[in-house]
Amino acid sequence: MEDSIVLFFLCLLFVLLPQSIFCASFTPLDGFFIDCGGSNPTKFDDSRVFKPDTSIPDVRFPASSDVISVAGLDSSSSPTLFDSARVFTRISVYTVRTRQIGRHWLRLHFSPVQNSHYDLNSAVFSVVANGITLLHGFSFSKSSAGSSHLLKEYVIEVEGSSSKDLVLTFSPWNGSAAFINGIEIVSMPKDFFPSSIVPVPLGPEVVISSQIAFETAFRVNMGGPLLSPKNDSLWRTWEPDQPYILNPACARKVFINPNLVKYPPGESVEIAPNWVYATAQEMADANVTEQRFNISWAFQVEEGFSYLIRLHFCDIVSMVLNSLIFNVYINNQSALNSFDLSSKTMALSSAYYIDFITDVSKGSNQVLLQVGPPNLRNLPSNAILNGLEIMKMSNPSQSLDGNLGVLYNNSKNSEKKIWVVLAISCFSAGFVVLVVILLAFFLYLKHPKKSEDPTSTWLPLPTHVGNSDSKVSICSFASTAQSHGLGRILSFSEIREATKNFDESLVLGVGGFGKVYKGVLDNGVMVAVKRGNPGSRQGLTEFRTEILMLSRLRHRHLVSLTGYCEEQNEMILVYEYMARGPLRKHLYGSNLPPLSWKQRLEICIGAAKGLHYLHTGAADIIIHRDVKTTNILLDENFTAKVADFGLSKLGPSLDQTHVSTAVKGSFGYLDPEVRVIVRR
Ligand SMILES: *[C@@H]1O[C@H](CO)[C@@H](O)[C@H](O)[C@H]1NC(C)=O
Ligand SMILES: *[C@@H]1O[C@H](CO)[C@@H](O)[C@H](O)[C@H]1NC(C)=O
Ligand SMILES: *[C@@H]1O[C@H](CO)[C@@H](O)[C@H](O)[C@H]1NC(C)=O
Ligand SMILES: *[C@@H]1O[C@H](CO)[C@@H](O)[C@H](O)[C@H]1NC(C)=O
Ligand SMILES: *[C@@H]1O[C@H](CO)[C@@H](O)[C@H](O)[C@H]1NC(C)=O
Ligand SMILES: *[C@@H]1O[C@H](CO)[C@@H](O)[C@H](O)[C@H]1NC(C)=O
């Protein structure tokens, strides 16, 4: 009775939760639009209203004695942000009390207002925000490249410990003046930047601490128009890629209706608007039988800094899944190799982004981005890019402009430049090592051996998890997995012990997902341990699908899940051990004795029984979608068991009529009809 009440509420939750998650759009808690020195609110056509700094309670502007407001010359027309400015002749501070801690967009608008007192065009000054040097020896005339106003965009952390203040310090240089026309502060969605990112050239992930500040260097909409703040929910600007593309003849613009762009969980319009994903550059048909070239873009950046590079992809060119596979290079180094976009999105026209970090060393001042075809001959060659963001990262001396912090009088600065570079690289290397050691130590402390109750090896199966929409179940997975007892949750230390710290000699096989190790749990049970590539969250959906599916199934001809581990960014699945491995190994490519006809027949019947159970026996219909000989495993008695549920899907119930026709699976095992389309 109690159970059914709990179940009822859980079902209710499943019905209500997804809508509330997917429909709620992000509304920034902090949205300060400050018209510095202005006297009337200035309305923009994109819903922003810039208010005079004197009229916003949470903004403390620099004391009046330091301030001179300058009125624009043509006060007859409607007021704009650039009619007025605050001018400072000594170090002055703006303080904004934010409502939320965490990262914020900070935008600074500069326009040298004509006046008789100051030559703002050639004024030289520095700007520091919460200890980060944003501008050092900035001069409008040198930075604006002839335009009448300048927008600088930053990402700054507002820390919670003391106060939620964002403090902006303007320091005029040597008898010069400093000025500012407008300040924007908008809170960012949580987790906008990941906590660690893969570097290029490829190596261990680099930790991104919250103290690191960013400056937008480039934000580009490949193959598309200029997107103004009007077209972006966070008031960003996306520029077209024409100025940066090196070989325009190699590329062709493609686009779809922006309303067709799908945002899977984890993606949203706050990452990038649908207009970005709806356009792309793809490889143009060169008059050659085999297309072997890259599309290249080059961006001039300041040397000696690290850059976060965010690539936006959306497959708007393919007819079917798994047909767009390409390489991505950053500064001539491989970033993505034979990247199958649909293995990430599981759908066409679906938004996807991925981040990399690259160092632009002294002597080079560009980021070169290239996309091109892989060396696969049986696929049509194409490569695309939909959008690109390049964010400059603050350096260890907390600066985004030059290596010398203006207010931070580091004794090392007086040494020769080369020592600065050396010290910085040593510092960052040491920091990474320290973080790794601390993490390892923490892990060790947190998981004393033998923490699990040995009797709790397997909990009864849940009856109904969610409704028949697998997507919904997967999204709500994390919160309900535990409460439903989806298999045994194993600690990372337990798994490390079972596999002798992932000993290479215990590797049973290597797949797209990662390596599979043979292991022995502390209760003596032999298991196969499938470990997703450490640190990488790629394949998270498949991982969760597999747990969800397998936890609900018990059958003689299905491989059962002993447990799983989702700790410290690890994705580990633990299965019953199948002594004789995949069927494929017994058919070809090894010197195992050939199977007898009786064995072959029994294996076929066994696998068919497993599939039949999936289609009819379980509470919901399950469609495996990736049946092949590597996914049929044999135990020591040659009993066949179906494995690898990462691509499977809950089918329609009998009274439903619609069926998803999306194509999934491995190339070479798809329906022949499907293959024809893939090959075009
Ligand atoms: C300030 O002026 C002095 C003398 O003109 C000059 O030597 C110095 O470099 C200047 N400093 C800055 C920061 O501009
Ligand atoms: C920008 O948004 C406006 C309406 O908000 C729309 O009419 C326009 O087509 C959009 N332009 C682009 C280039 O996205
Ligand atoms: C491709 O070849 C055709 C016929 O030879 C020619 O008309 C066309 O201009 C060529 N296109 C390109 C892009 O070279
Ligand atoms: C990439 O390679 C090209 C051609 O070999 C070279 O001209 C360019 O300088 C390289 N760029 C970088 C960033 O290494
Ligand atoms: C694309 O660029 C990368 C890096 O510069 C290079 O290694 C690769 O050979 C290029 N591919 C083609 C097909 O030109
Ligand atoms: C930097 O340090 C030097 C010597 O330590 C000192 O003379 C100078 O005034 C300092 N400059 C600033 C801007 O603090």
Side-chain angles (χ1 to χ4, degrees), residues 168-185:
L168 270 172
T169 310
F170 293 82
S171 320
W173 281 29
N174 266 6
S176 182
F179 72 98
I180 180 80
N181 301 70
I183 303 171
E184 264 177 81
I185 295 165

Side-chain angles (χ1 to χ4, degrees), residues 264-265 313 321-322 336 339-347 350-354 512 533 536-542:
F313 294 111
L321 288 174
N322 301 97
L336 290 169
F339 176 62
D340 180 357
L341 184 52
S342 42
S343 74
K344 302 294 170 214
T345 57
M346 299 289 171
S350 183
Y352 178 77
Y353 72 93
I354 184 162
N533 293 322
S536 138
R537 299 305 279 169
Q538 301 176 349
L540 187 64
T541 317
E542 292 95 319

Side-chain angles (χ1 to χ4, degrees), residues 175-208:
S176 182
F179 72 98
I180 180 80
N181 301 70
I183 303 171
E184 264 177 81
I185 295 165
V186 178
S187 46
M188 287 175 93
K190 246 180 132 235
D191 306 324
F192 191 87
F193 293 121
S195 55
S196 65
I197 302 183
V198 175
V200 176
L202 298 176
E205 291 198 0
V206 177
V207 174
I208 309 293

Side-chain angles (χ1 to χ4, degrees), residues 516-534:
V516 183
Y517 300 83
K518 186 170 151 177
V520 185
L521 293 183
D522 54 5
N523 55 8
V525 173
M526 294 261 277
V527 288
V529 175
K530 186 156 122 182
R531 184 191 195 193
N533 293 322

Side-chain angles (χ1 to χ4, degrees), residues 44 152 184 190 294 379 422 443 475 517 556 566 627 665:
F44 278 49
K152 294 288 222 171
E184 264 177 81
K190 246 180 132 235
N294 291 321
L379 287 164
L422 214 81
L443 241 160
C475 300
Y517 300 83
R556 182 174 143 77
E566 194 182 11
V627 181

